[in-house]
Amino acid sequence: EDKVVQSPLSLVVHEGDTVTLNCSYEVTNFRSLLWYKQEKKAPTFLFMLTSSGIEKKSGRLSSILDKKELFSILNITATQTGDSAVYLCAVPRFQGAQKLVFGQGTRLTINP
Amino acid sequence: EPEVTQTPSHQVTQMGQEVILRCVPISNHLYFYWYRQILGQKVEFLVSFYNNEISEKSEIFDDQFSVERPDGSNFTLKIRSTKLEDSAMYFCASTLTGDFYEQYFGPGTRLTVT
């Protein structure tokens, strides 16, 4: 059975701290891994990772994939209160069309 | 920037009633999806739709559920006889291709079954 596991489930830090969120996966025919940010409603897309060792970066957020060890990390540096959200990791599973298999999410709270 | 839209944002219904949740995917996208998220739980796949037919459905998507693309823009999820356990946030998503392309999610419809 396909599995995506995120850790920690919850994290509380102070503004300015750096955080690392983890996602491990076991998925047949792996092709890519996606990170989403979910604030109040819809998940919004952050990154898609397909190749090992190549960092994707957007501002203070970055992410990297390790296809040998089957995990990805999402780093956020110099956190701000606006980074408070649930961060979701998802892996597409292909059977005709892709469906996303989501992890439980990491609830990140940034305190001022 | 194009976005997926969903209506209504919140629907309250009585057990046993039929509900239709509506979505307008991004206009040039070809693959459409419904997911649901029960409060405090994971986002779960319900169904994918391509070329006017279901391409995959989960175990959750039983005979009470159906999807339709009645015209060139709308994509609907119908629940024929709602149960208490259908209470959840329902997200519509769309993507351009079936591979290596991120899915864009709508804002969701919160369905409350009483």
Side-chain angles (χ1 to χ4, degrees), chain A residues 11-24:
Chain A
L11 186 57
V12 182
V13 300
H14 287 105
E15 212 168 11
D17 288 352
T18 293
V19 296
T20 297
L21 311 183
N22 303 290
C23 175
S24 65

Side-chain angles (χ1 to χ4, degrees), chain A residues 4 31-32 34 36 38 40-43 45 48 50 88 93-100 102-104, chain B residues 9 31 33 35 37 42-43 45 48 55-56 89 91 95 97-107:
Chain A
V4 178
R31 296 191 195 184
S32 62
L34 292 85
Y36 285 86
Q38 186 178 27
K40 290 188 178 167
K41 288 193 174 178
F45 173 76
M48 176 185 283
T50 56
L88 300 172
R93 177 82 168 88
F94 292 88
Q95 276 180 329
Q98 61 166 301
K99 72 174 189 185
L100 293 179
F102 281 89
Q104 323 91 297
Chain B
S9 57
Y31 293 80
Y33 307 83
Y35 293 84
Q37 186 175 33
K42 287 187 192 187
V43 177
F45 168 80
S48 59
S55 47
E56 189 180 355
M89 182 73 92
F91 293 110
T95 187
T97 71
D99 201 354
F100 293 115
Y101 201 83
E102 62 269 25
Q103 291 185 18
Y104 288 86
F105 284 78

Side-chain angles (χ1 to χ4, degrees), chain B residues 9-53:
Chain B
S9 57
H10 191 191
Q11 172 98 44
V12 181
T13 190
Q14 287 192 322
M15 201 165 51
Q17 296 296 303
E18 174 183 287
V19 294
I20 297 176
L21 310 183
R22 292 185 165 79
C23 168
V24 178
I26 293 173
S27 61
N28 63 335
H29 284 186
L30 301 175
Y31 293 80
F32 314 111
Y33 307 83
W34 284 101
Y35 293 84
R36 80 170 185 191
Q37 186 175 33
I38 294 170
L39 191 63
Q41 295 187 23
K42 287 187 192 187
V43 177
E44 302 173 284
F45 168 80
L46 290 178
V47 65
S48 59
F49 192 86
Y50 169 70
N51 203 24
N52 280 321
E53 59 183 24

